[in-house]
Amino acid sequence: MESILETADWWVLGGYLVALIAVAVWVVLQKNKNTEDYFLAGRNVGWFVIGASIFASNIGSEHVVGLAGTGAESGMPMAHYELHAWIVLLLGWLFLPFYFRSRAFTMPEFLEKRFDSRSRWFLSVFSLVGYVITKVSVTIYAGGIVVSELLGIPFWYGAIGIVIFTGAYTIIGGMKAVIYTETLQTVILIAGSLIITYLGLQQVGGWEQLREAAGSEHFNMWRPISDPDFPWTGMLIGGTIVGVWYWCTDQYIVQRTLAANNIKIGRRGAIFGAYLKLLPIFIFLIPGIIAFALAQQGVLTYEKSDEVFPVLVKTLLPVGLKGLVAGGLMAALMSSLASVFNSCSTIFTIDIYKKLKPLTEEKKLLRIGKIATSIVVILGIIWIPIMDKIGGGVLYQYLQSVQSYIAPPITAVFLLGIIWKRVNSQAAIVTLFSGLVIAALRIMAEIYQADLSGALLTFATINFAHMAIFMFIFSVVVCIAVSLGTNPPNYVTISGLSLGTLTEEDRRLNKESISTIDIVLSVLLLVVVISVLSYFVG
């Protein structure tokens, strides 16, 4: 296997890695005094860095590889997930004020403050397992594909090598190392991907020629309800349920906004991150459609959809630019990997170990978090061979499938817990556990569907996005029914943690955090989202 990079490309890629190491070293030299420094960067991060970190955390190599592959395979339907920019606004405007008032380090800790310790334990363990099967393994797998294709080395060498490099600066530098290196990686990733989109459009003959070569169906986000893969109901409604879980309740994303020193900065970071979230449609999904069109024209070929983006790099880019895009792909891989490492470390240390041993010294807590990271990595690598059996072997579809099963009960508990004060701890834990049982049954049914028949086969083959809708409705019904059938919570202990328990002081502080520019930018973003939804109709 030979590398596609030439001498100039290696110099460009080397320059990027040197810059990354320099940022990491600068952060490490500042040292972390305590767990707040290590896990939340001292709660003193600006809105620009927060927004860039949100984007870089989300846009991992599974996006670069998987979203481009999905674009080539199926066209625009998955753009519904990339238009979740409006849900990032929901994080800033609805959820974040409650998180800040709780002064929680983690989402499981917030659940304990709103409900009880059982919910915290559940979400802690559930999140760690979820990170292994939806983030760590996917990111390592996609990274292995990227590195082996670009550098000409075996898959496992590339995957494990990048894990070790990323893990080193994440473990040593903590959240500061993650969040500041992600800012650099965001710039590299966007620049490299914009170049490949521009050159791809030139190669295919322009936008109109692309539409003609790819066909109208590739530009249609609104597939019929009967579509087996991308029904518009599932993409729009089921996708939103998954989006609220991912963007508004998942430690992986929310931790970035908690690194701000006040609600206003955190919200503005979320708004900036929402604008960046619009970019993947144009820098990853559209290149996938370009690859499909070029394949129709005989310009390039690919065997599997997950090879699309690396093949575009090989085919379209001149010497030098290949190195830049290789850096962008490395950036995507390392930023996601660093984020999930840090999130796993935070949850295990704060929500599990410290909960069991509350008197543990700060230095020991930092050491425990670093050890936990390496264990999560190993489990992620072990899970990789199972991934091909879920989601039809298409990386991004695998990711959305699994997330569609684990998101609904968590979305229901957080959303109802914030907007309705009557939801109690018993309702929360029953909803979470019942959702887990259904999710586990569905994943097992998918893996072994070849051996199933009748009702069980139907259960295994319901569209993943429709499954999310059914599970969410079930979770909401369970949560409301149990809440009304049991005693109400103590409203004094959850003061400020639900809309119905806000004090006058809470309302005053929240009002003071709102600025006109934030409102205008949020409305403008909603207009852009609606415009994109209206344009891609085939």
Side-chain angles (χ1 to χ4, degrees):
M1 186 182 292
E2 292 184 7
S3 171
I4 66 169
L5 304 183
E6 299 179 38
T7 303
D9 298 312
W10 284 108
W11 279 107
V12 172
L13 181 58
Y16 158 70
L17 293 175
V18 168
L20 185 66
I21 292 169
V23 171
V25 169
W26 170 74
V27 170
V28 169
L29 289 176
Q30 297 183 53
K31 297 186 179 180
N32 293 290
K33 301 186 183 83
N34 51 39
T35 48
E36 186 169 72
D37 257 6
Y38 188 79
F39 295 120
L40 292 179
R43 294 191 192 263
N44 193 31
V45 178
W47 64 267
F48 182 90
V49 174
I50 289 171
S53 180
I54 287 174
F55 175 79
S57 299
N58 170 238
I59 307 302
S61 50
E62 76 278 5
H63 263 75
V64 180
V65 174
L67 196 54
T70 303
E73 187 98 355
S74 310
M76 289 300 296
M78 276 295 182
H80 281 286
Y81 284 92
E82 302 315 307
L83 289 175
H84 283 172
W86 72 269
I87 301 179
V88 188
L89 295 181
L90 198 64
L91 166 64
W93 289 103
L94 175 62
F95 288 83
L96 199 57
F98 293 96
Y99 296 155
F100 263 90
R101 275 191 291 273
S102 74
R103 294 297 294 176
F105 266 61
T106 67
M107 294 301 93
E109 186 181 1
F110 174 80
L111 278 193
E112 180 177 38
K113 292 178 183 242
R114 175 59 181 87
F115 300 114
D116 63 7
S117 61
R118 293 176 300 173
S119 297
R120 180 177 185 172
W121 273 110
F122 178 94
L123 190 59
S124 300
V125 176
F126 190 81
S127 295
L128 288 175
V129 174
Y131 287 152
V132 170
I133 65 176
T134 67
K135 290 186 173 70
V136 177
S137 57
V138 170
T139 305
I140 295 171
Y141 174 76
I145 292 174
V146 169
V147 175
S148 63
E149 287 284 335
L150 293 178
L151 306 187
I153 59 178
F155 169 83
W156 287 105
Y157 288 9
I160 295 174
I162 210 76
V163 165
I164 293 172
F165 181 82
T166 308
Y169 73 75
T170 306
I171 290 170
I172 297 170
M175 182 65 162
K176 285 181 184 175
V178 173
I179 210 164
Y180 284 108
T181 53
E182 282 178 339
T183 305
L184 169 64
Q185 289 162 336
T186 296
V187 175
I188 298 293
L189 179 56
I190 293 174
S193 300
L194 281 174
I195 289 170
I196 205 164
T197 304
Y198 173 75
L199 293 177
L201 280 174
Q202 278 196 324
Q203 180 72 37
V204 85
W207 185 256
E208 291 304 320
Q209 190 65 34
L210 174 64
R211 290 190 64 112
E212 184 179 329
S216 62
E217 193 62 12
H218 258 66
F219 281 82
N220 183 14
M221 291 176 61
W222 303 90
R223 304 288 170 86
I225 296 177
S226 58
D227 188 285
D229 297 317
F230 306 108
W232 73 265
T233 44
M235 294 293 99
L236 190 64
I237 304 170
T240 296
I241 293 165
V242 175
V244 172
W245 161 73
Y246 182 86
W247 292 104
C248 302
T249 74
D250 192 14
Q251 182 70 23
Y252 183 68
I253 295 297
V254 176
Q255 189 169 344
R256 274 102 201 96
T257 57
L258 296 181
N261 59 15
N262 58 56
I263 296 173
K264 186 173 184 177
I265 295 298
R267 179 185 294 126
R268 192 161 290 175
I271 293 171
F272 179 49
Y275 273 92
L276 293 176
K277 177 60 182 166
L278 293 171
L279 290 176
I281 294 175
F282 307 101
I283 62 177
F284 303 133
L285 200 55
I286 294 297
I289 298 176
I290 289 171
F292 174 78
L294 291 176
Q296 301 302 305
Q297 297 174 351
V299 176
L300 55 75
T301 59
Y302 51 87
E303 293 181 9
K304 291 175 61 180
S305 59
D306 290 341
E307 296 173 0
V308 165
F309 204 88
V311 168
L312 281 172
V313 174
K314 287 181 182 179
T315 307
L316 298 179
L317 297 184
V319 176
L321 285 181
K322 285 181 183 176
L324 179 64
V325 174
L329 292 169
M330 297 280 198
L333 169 60
M334 287 187 283
S335 60
S336 274
L337 212 49
S339 296
V340 74
F341 286 170
N342 190 248
S343 296
C344 288
S345 178
T346 305
I347 288 176
F348 181 83
T349 306
I350 303 298
D351 292 306
I352 295 178
Y353 193 87
K354 190 176 180 181
K355 187 74 177 169
L356 292 172
K357 299 186 176 183
L359 301 179
T360 305
E361 294 181 353
E362 292 279 305
K363 286 184 178 179
K364 187 173 181 180
L365 287 176
L366 298 183
R367 189 166 64 251
I368 293 297
K370 294 172 182 180
I371 294 170
T373 300
S374 58
I375 296 173
V376 171
V377 172
I378 294 169
L379 292 175
I381 292 172
I382 292 172
W383 183 260
I384 289 175
I386 301 173
M387 287 168 44
D388 279 342
K389 296 186 178 181
I390 305 177
V394 178
L395 186 62
Y396 198 66
Q397 193 168 330
Y398 158 85
L399 187 64
Q400 300 306 336
S401 295
V402 175
Q403 290 181 343
S404 294
Y405 313 146
I406 67 177
I410 299 174
T411 298
V413 166
F414 270 88
L415 194 58
L416 288 175
I418 282 177
I419 65 177
W420 189 34
K421 67 178 183 179
R422 184 64 175 76
V423 179
N424 59 24
S425 59
Q426 191 64 26
I429 196 65
V430 170
T431 303
L432 291 171
F433 266 108
S434 59
L436 172 62
V437 170
I438 295 176
L441 289 174
R442 167 64 188 223
I443 291 175
M444 293 299 292
E446 275 203 48
I447 293 173
Y448 297 106
Q449 65 178 274
D451 302 322
L452 303 178
S453 61
L456 288 175
L457 182 60
T458 302
F459 174 71
T461 54
I462 296 172
N463 176 269
F464 68 90
H466 279 162
M467 191 69 192
I469 299 174
F470 298 144
M471 288 183 64
F472 181 71
I473 294 172
F474 171 80
S475 297
V476 168
V477 170
V478 168
C479 194
I480 292 174
V482 176
S483 292
L484 295 177
T486 52
N487 294 327
N490 184 336
Y491 297 131
V492 175
T493 61
I494 62 169
S495 176
L497 302 182
S498 186
L499 283 174
T501 64
L502 293 178
T503 64
E504 287 302 316
E505 178 68 5
D506 292 332
R507 297 179 191 279
R508 181 186 66 79
L509 292 174
N510 198 44
K511 188 175 181 180
E512 289 177 355
S513 73
I514 298 172
S515 66
T516 304
I517 185 64
D518 292 341
I519 295 174
V520 171
L521 288 172
S522 298
V523 171
L524 181 60
L525 184 131
L526 292 176
V527 171
V528 173
V529 168
I530 293 170
S531 299
V532 173
L533 286 169
S534 303
Y535 179 79
F536 289 102
V537 293

